[in-house]
Amino acid sequence: MDTVILSDWLSARLDRAAAEPSYRQVLRLMQQAILTGQLPPGTKLPSSRTLAGDLLIARNTVLRVYDQLTAEGYVISTMGSGTYVADTRPDSVAVNARRASPASGSIDKGAPTPIRREHGDLSSRGRRLIGQAGVSPKQWGAFMPGVPDVAEFPARTWSRLQAKLWKEANPDLLTYAPGGGYRPLRRALSDYLRVARSVNCTPDQIIITTGIHQSIDLAVRLLTDVGDRAWVEEPCYWGARSVLQSSGIKLVPVPVDDEGLNPREQDLQNPPRLALVTPSHQYPLGMVMSLARRRTLLEYARQHKVWIIEDDYDSEFRYGSHPLASLQGLDEAGQVIYVGSLGKMLFPGLRIGYMIAPEHLVDTFRTGVAELYREGQLMQQAVMTDFIMDGHLTSHVRRMRALYGERRQILIDAITARFGNELPVMGDEAGLHLVLGLPDHANDREVAAAAYDAGVIVRALAAYYSGETPARRGLLLGYACVPNAQIGPAFDTLARVIEQTALGASTRTTGQRRHAT
């Protein structure tokens, strides 16, 4: 492409009515011509005056384009000689090395190797993570499990507290978070957790994180090596399972029964490096680990130096009884790492979680969280501190516990009215969801997919088991984020899907007759 053709080529493509400035258009077009070889290396560009006249644009515009092309290495300007297209072609030695056959060492002079796409680009653990991902494209609506009603959050109170802090604009709150997080927040959380969860800790033991996922990830990175074994409950929360697997940990699913984690003889004979448990409200089935099992687990961990990660994700919401004491409160050997989050109490987007490290590991965990994640969010942590200290957290949790209790009962009543005792309800004593059992022959994954197509979000219980054949079939139904008036209609929709996909024709007829009466 000579200089005359270049002017014509640019002029034909210059859109003078476009919102994009002429400078940006000419720069983009010339970059394209150089990269595609239409302007080969060594081509002398027309003078800025000539090109400006040909394109009917200001000379300063062309000078600005040439300056930018020079700065980015597309062209080379020589005093007294002119501006030439630089040779930016990939180095032939490097390209040929990439084309070499590993088997024969020969050089492929033909077309470059096609770029792999999608899962072919991933590592083996990356493929496993994406292939087993449980995250939903929707995070709100009936019956999304584990999501609080963010519409009930006292936003005005939060905004007022936040505005006060921003008005002061303390520079210390705008930098990275040293020492495991904002100390006043750690002190407030220590006081709260001692009363609400019977946790034994000092403010120094609390490490502020962005949530339970990060807390688990930090503990795993600092306390395990690739290939170490970890006990996980069977079934268990898919997110925790993904965090462990992505760190190269070998998972050992341990069954649960009505008393919680129930290790088998072969499990006990091969102590793991760590055990991840949800003793106060097993996720997803909802049982509570008995005191005898707790003491047994703690003694086993003490004898075999097993780290226990206690995931206490939503224990504030119990219906008909007070919140249960933590496993950490019984630990005398310093083997339990307690992790929790404020997201389910307030709103998930808050992204403030915490972990309680054994005293001898406090400095290690502080260094680890700062080194790996470069924590910040001190302003949010300061707002959270005032929110707790002024009593807003306690009153909000109390109010939401009552509201969620109402919604839980509305949902249970809807289930009973439609199915009677035919489908069992499990894990409804606490938390933000319950499990609706399905017949053994039912495919709960298919039911969940059909419900999604009908506009209702549920999770298949099978997704929480590590094996292909789950011990139980069922659906997780979250009720916390569903307004009272919408629970009945939404469940009617779900019930029709269940009757069509999981139950036989006779059951469907019986259900319709019961519903009509």
Side-chain angles (χ1 to χ4, degrees):
M1 182 187 297
D2 59 30
T3 56
V4 176
I5 297 176
L6 173 63
S7 297
D8 292 341
W9 186 81
L10 290 171
S11 182
R13 289 162 176 77
L14 193 61
D15 186 354
R16 303 179 190 276
E20 184 182 18
S22 298
Y23 155 73
R24 295 298 309 173
Q25 292 188 58
V26 175
L27 176 63
R28 174 172 48 79
L29 289 168
M30 293 192 70
Q31 289 171 334
Q32 174 188 337
I34 292 171
L35 292 173
T36 59
Q38 293 170 286
L39 283 176
T43 301
K44 183 177 182 180
L45 301 183
S47 68
S48 58
R49 190 183 305 277
T50 300
L51 186 58
D54 291 343
L55 299 180
L56 301 178
I57 59 177
R59 185 187 177 200
N60 283 343
T61 300
V62 178
L63 287 172
R64 188 180 176 191
V65 169
Y66 280 12
D67 287 345
Q68 188 64 31
L69 290 172
T70 301
E72 296 184 13
Y74 285 88
V75 300
I76 300 173
S77 295
T78 304
M79 185 68 68
S81 177
T83 302
Y84 297 85
V85 175
D87 188 353
T88 61
R89 293 171 296 183
D91 181 76
S92 59
V93 175
V95 172
N96 289 335
R98 287 194 297 268
R99 294 179 183 175
S101 168
S104 64
S106 62
I107 303 298
D108 178 11
K109 299 294 186 179
T113 303
I115 298 176
R116 295 179 299 163
R117 289 291 180 249
E118 296 181 354
H119 289 184
D121 292 324
L122 303 181
S123 64
S124 59
R125 64 180 177 180
R127 287 193 295 272
R128 182 169 58 248
L129 174 67
I130 300 304
Q132 297 178 355
V135 66
S136 171
K138 293 183 179 180
Q139 295 294 320
W140 179 259
F143 292 101
M144 182 67 189
V147 179
D149 191 344
V150 297
E152 294 291 332
F153 177 71
R156 290 186 178 181
T157 299
W158 185 271
S159 179
R160 174 174 55 79
L161 297 173
Q162 184 169 256
K164 177 184 176 182
L165 287 167
W166 274 111
K167 186 176 181 180
E168 297 172 359
N170 185 343
D172 290 340
L173 297 179
L174 303 180
T175 184
Y176 293 111
Y182 189 52
R183 180 167 177 77
L185 175 59
R186 292 187 282 122
R187 185 168 55 246
L189 281 173
S190 176
D191 293 339
Y192 174 81
L193 291 171
R194 274 201 305 269
V195 174
R197 304 292 300 113
S198 298
V199 166
N200 293 325
C201 72
T202 65
D204 289 338
Q205 288 178 260
I206 295 181
I207 311 292
I208 304 299
T209 67
T210 59
I212 287 176
H213 279 219
Q214 190 184 79
S215 297
I216 295 174
D217 184 63
L218 177 64
V220 169
R221 288 176 183 272
L222 293 179
L223 300 177
T224 69
D225 291 312
V226 173
D228 280 348
R229 300 163 65 254
W231 283 0
V232 293
E233 296 167 328
E234 177 75 336
C236 74
Y237 170 49
W238 52 264
R241 189 168 60 211
S242 294
V243 171
L244 293 172
Q245 285 183 324
S246 66
S247 297
I249 301 300
K250 181 180 179 180
L251 303 189
V252 181
V254 178
V256 296
D257 60 17
D258 291 342
E259 294 186 63
L261 191 75
N262 187 23
R264 298 154 295 191
E265 186 61 32
Q266 63 265 33
D267 298 323
L268 296 172
Q269 291 176 357
N270 296 283
R273 178 63 174 168
L274 64 83
L276 177 61
V277 293
T278 52
S280 295
H281 185 220
Q282 200 279 333
Y283 196 91
L285 295 176
M287 69 279 293
V288 175
M289 185 183 292
S290 68
L291 180 59
R293 290 275 177 87
R294 293 180 185 225
R295 296 185 66 183
T296 299
L297 178 61
L298 288 171
E299 179 60 21
Y300 182 83
R302 185 190 66 81
Q303 291 181 9
H304 299 282
K305 304 302 180 185
V306 177
W307 295 108
I308 300 174
I309 300 179
E310 179 180 7
D311 180 357
D312 198 15
Y313 61 98
D314 67 357
S315 295
E316 286 77 11
F317 301 113
R318 293 200 69 83
Y319 313 109
S321 64
H322 294 293
L324 302 175
S326 65
L327 179 68
Q328 191 269 358
L330 299 173
D331 178 30
E332 296 179 353
Q335 295 295 125
V336 176
I337 299 162
Y338 180 93
V339 302
S341 170
L342 297 169
K344 284 183 170 51
M345 286 191 279
L346 300 176
F347 60 97
L350 178 63
R351 307 311 301 148
I352 294 181
Y354 51 87
M355 63 191 308
I356 298 176
E359 289 188 75
H360 65 287
L361 289 177
V362 167
D363 290 340
T364 298
F365 275 71
R366 284 183 179 179
T367 301
V369 74
E371 183 72 13
L372 290 174
Y373 312 114
R374 299 296 285 158
E375 293 294 84
Q377 297 281 4
L378 283 172
M379 185 63 77
Q380 286 283 80
Q381 293 179 28
V383 178
M384 189 71 246
T385 304
D386 291 346
F387 193 83
I388 295 174
M389 297 302 293
D390 291 349
H392 301 300
L393 177 64
T394 301
S395 61
H396 179 68
V397 169
R398 186 184 303 116
R399 186 169 66 89
M400 299 312 292
R401 185 186 297 124
L403 178 61
Y404 297 157
E406 291 177 9
R407 293 176 177 177
R408 160 187 169 271
Q409 193 59 54
I410 293 172
L411 179 57
I412 292 175
D413 290 344
I415 294 171
T416 303
R418 188 80 176 212
F419 295 111
N421 296 323
E422 188 175 358
L423 300 182
V425 173
M426 300 171 283
D428 62 301
E429 294 84 4
L432 307 179
H433 77 274
L434 56 78
V435 177
L436 179 63
L438 295 177
D440 291 340
H441 68 268
N443 188 321
D444 49 8
R445 294 180 187 270
E446 291 182 359
V447 177
Y452 188 88
D453 292 340
V456 177
I457 309 168
V458 294
R459 288 192 181 277
L461 184 57
Y464 296 85
Y465 285 88
S466 59
E468 290 296 324
T469 305
R472 304 185 187 183
R473 304 281 184 171
L475 303 172
L476 273 69
L477 278 62
Y479 45 79
C481 65
V482 192
N484 295 26
Q486 296 180 18
I487 294 176
F491 185 75
D492 285 343
T493 300
L494 175 61
R496 287 192 291 271
V497 172
I498 293 173
E499 291 166 349
Q500 292 166 4
T501 58
L503 304 179
S506 60
T507 302
R508 181 160 61 249
T509 302
T510 302
Q512 291 171 347
R513 184 164 52 250
R514 183 187 299 116
H515 184 62
T517 58

